[in-house]
Amino acid sequence: MSAQPGWTPAARPGIIPLHPLTFGAVLGRSFQALRHNPKVLLGFALGVQSLVFILLIVGIAGVGWLSFSRLDTLTPGTDEWDAVTAGSVLVTALAGLVLGLLASALQVIVQAVVVGEVAHAVVAEKLTLGALWRQVRPSLWRLLGYTFLVLLAVVLFVAAVGGVIFAVGAAAGPVLAVVLTILVFLGAIPLYLWLSTKLLLAPSAIILERASVRGAIARSWRLTRRRFWPILGVIVVISLLFGVIAQFVQIPFSLLSSGFLTVFAPTGEPGAEAVIGFVVAILLGNIVVLLVQAVALVVQATASVLLYVDCRMRHEGLDIDLLTYVERRDAGAPTLEDPWAVHPGRPAPVRAPAYGPAYGAPAQPPYGYAQPPYGYPMPPGAQAPYGYAPQPPATPPPPVPPAATQWTAPGAGSADREPPPA
């Protein structure tokens, strides 16, 4: 029977290498994640975005038509006509607010499913939409509560600032109010970027760690320390990229819709053909923009999960737990702990120094650790696993000097020898 250890296949690779990520890796893998499970990520997101679009258009248009159609039975300029107009505007605005909140709730569901899918893709697992829904459903209400809490804080802030500006304008004139509005808007941009960056990881903590709303906010605030600028850079690059793409795909359809009116109605009186062409061009443009928005929603949510994974690797050594989970799973372990919730908040082990002669250190794998996982020593002659610095060989004991021997030089002890013959 051979004394050599048995051969085991290499662990299946996920969508990211299990070590801290660079800026380019986070940005690139956020797009590559779409290919891992496109039916769940892109298909589900596109379906929800389409439902949100139809709900907003049909709901607001229907409420507006039902409320404003009463004006046809009234005489313009009367008190009753003014009252019905004000009431119709208020009802339509409230309907838009309620439907907007419902649309936000549906997008939160997409974000929750994306978080669960990306977490499984990191460890090379692919689940169906039903399995993902069963996993994220217990944490969904906390995620909805966190989202509405953020929306409420934004609404209260805007209302308070708007009230102050209105009071200043009423007391000092409209010019000062306009100047104050511009200054507040310019000051709100860095405030929004700072808060959105510090709170970006809270949804991932709610879904993967099953944290409370308060605990998730604290976790996101703590994990983003010393990682603020890379996280902000990823958010800004993805937002600008999809904003530019949406504008580029919308411009041709806008030109096409205006061209229909110019070609079919040169005198300014559009017929049925021009109206139909105009509507078709607008719908096609909105459908393309809807597809871009669905992809943007998935990519932004994927990037936030990868940033969460990267921050936990750097702060808490999450890659150790993920590597252990993958190795035990591929080895056929009967029971496995959730790697995302097993050691939250644990201090990260000491990383090995940068490798290569340029750093004054010997060549060794990047992102390595000074010791094997969890401090267990390796047997003599064993090879360190990937991602860990090899242990230096044990210092051999000093050689034992040989025992002293009696040695007689030539010519010594001549008294004991017979004299030569004469």
Side-chain angles (χ1 to χ4, degrees), residues 3 15 31 38 51-52 67 79 133 145 150 154 216 260 271 341 358:
I15 61 172
F31 290 88
L51 179 61
V52 168
S67 58
D79 295 339
W133 173 251
V150 172
V154 172
F260 273 109

Side-chain angles (χ1 to χ4, degrees), residues 113-128:
V113 172
V114 171
V115 170
E117 164 58 25
V118 174
H120 284 281
V122 168
V123 291
E125 295 176 350
K126 182 184 294 186
L127 273 66
T128 62

Side-chain angles (χ1 to χ4, degrees), residues 42-87:
L42 189 57
F44 180 67
L46 183 60
V48 172
Q49 287 288 93
S50 303
L51 179 61
V52 168
F53 178 77
I54 295 173
L55 183 65
L56 290 176
I57 296 298
V58 175
I60 296 177
V63 172
W65 181 80
L66 291 175
S67 58
F68 282 98
S69 61
R70 296 176 55 193
L71 296 176
D72 296 335
T73 61
L74 302 176
T75 303
T78 61
D79 295 339
E80 187 177 3
W81 191 88
D82 294 339
V84 171
T85 302

Side-chain angles (χ1 to χ4, degrees), residues 12-382:
R12 291 174 289 171
I15 61 172
I16 61 171
L18 296 181
H19 58 64
L21 307 174
T22 61
F23 179 87
V26 174
L27 198 59
R29 298 305 172 95
S30 301
F31 290 88
Q32 294 179 9
L34 292 172
R35 299 183 301 176
H36 181 262
N37 200 351
K39 292 182 179 180
V40 171
L41 291 180
L42 189 57
F44 180 67
L46 183 60
V48 172
Q49 287 288 93
S50 303
L51 179 61
V52 168
F53 178 77
I54 295 173
L55 183 65
L56 290 176
I57 296 298
V58 175
I60 296 177
V63 172
W65 181 80
L66 291 175
S67 58
F68 282 98
S69 61
R70 296 176 55 193
L71 296 176
D72 296 335
T73 61
L74 302 176
T75 303
T78 61
D79 295 339
E80 187 177 3
W81 191 88
D82 294 339
V84 171
T85 302
S88 300
V89 172
L90 180 61
V91 169
T92 305
L94 290 176
L97 177 62
V98 173
L99 293 176
L101 293 176
L102 183 58
S104 300
L106 293 176
Q107 291 180 346
V108 167
I109 295 176
V110 174
Q111 185 180 18
V113 172
V114 171
V115 170
E117 164 58 25
V118 174
H120 284 281
V122 168
V123 291
E125 295 176 350
K126 182 184 294 186
L127 273 66
T128 62
L129 180 59
L132 287 172
W133 173 251
R134 286 190 294 271
Q135 286 191 356
V136 303
R137 184 175 55 187
S139 305
L140 188 61
W141 289 111
R142 293 194 298 275
L143 185 60
L144 288 172
Y146 164 77
T147 303
F148 288 137
L149 181 63
V150 172
L151 290 176
L152 179 62
V154 172
V155 170
L156 292 178
F157 175 78
V158 172
V161 173
V164 172
I165 293 176
F166 180 79
V168 171
V175 177
L176 184 58
V178 171
V179 173
L180 185 59
T181 302
I182 296 175
L183 293 177
V184 169
F185 176 77
L186 294 178
I189 294 176
L191 178 63
Y192 167 76
L193 293 176
W194 178 63
L195 289 177
S196 60
T197 302
K198 296 297 291 184
L199 299 177
L200 181 68
L201 310 184
S204 299
I206 291 175
I207 297 297
L208 298 180
E209 301 178 23
R210 298 168 181 85
S212 62
V213 174
R214 181 179 178 182
I217 293 175
R219 287 279 292 156
S220 179
W221 208 274
R222 184 166 54 251
L223 288 174
T224 51
R225 291 175 183 172
R226 299 188 298 275
R227 299 296 297 166
F228 177 83
W229 293 111
I231 295 174
L232 178 61
V234 171
I235 296 174
V236 171
V237 169
I238 292 178
S239 300
L240 290 178
L241 178 62
F242 281 102
V244 172
I245 292 175
Q247 292 297 324
F248 269 104
V249 300
Q250 200 170 14
I251 288 175
F253 291 100
S254 300
L255 297 176
L256 183 63
S257 60
S258 61
F260 273 109
L261 294 179
T262 303
V263 172
F264 289 99
T267 60
E269 296 180 0
E273 297 85 357
V275 173
I276 293 175
F278 178 80
V279 172
V280 169
I282 292 295
L283 288 178
L284 288 177
N286 288 330
I287 290 174
V288 175
V289 172
L290 188 68
L291 177 60
V292 173
Q293 290 177 349
V295 177
L297 178 64
V298 173
V299 172
Q300 289 173 347
T302 302
S304 67
V305 182
L306 296 183
L307 289 169
Y308 164 82
V309 175
D310 175 66
C311 290
R312 283 198 62 182
M313 285 180 178
R314 296 176 183 273
H315 290 286
E316 303 174 358
L318 177 66
D319 43 349
I320 297 177
D321 298 325
L322 296 180
L323 285 168
T324 304
Y325 172 84
V326 170
E327 292 172 356
R328 294 192 62 206
R329 179 199 64 195
D330 294 347
T335 58
L336 294 172
E337 292 183 323
D338 186 0
W340 306 100
V342 64
H343 290 127
R346 174 188 62 187
V350 179
R351 300 278 180 177
Y355 68 102
Y359 298 93
Q364 57 185 358
Y367 307 109
Y369 291 92
Q371 297 294 334
Y374 303 109
Y376 292 111
M378 292 185 300

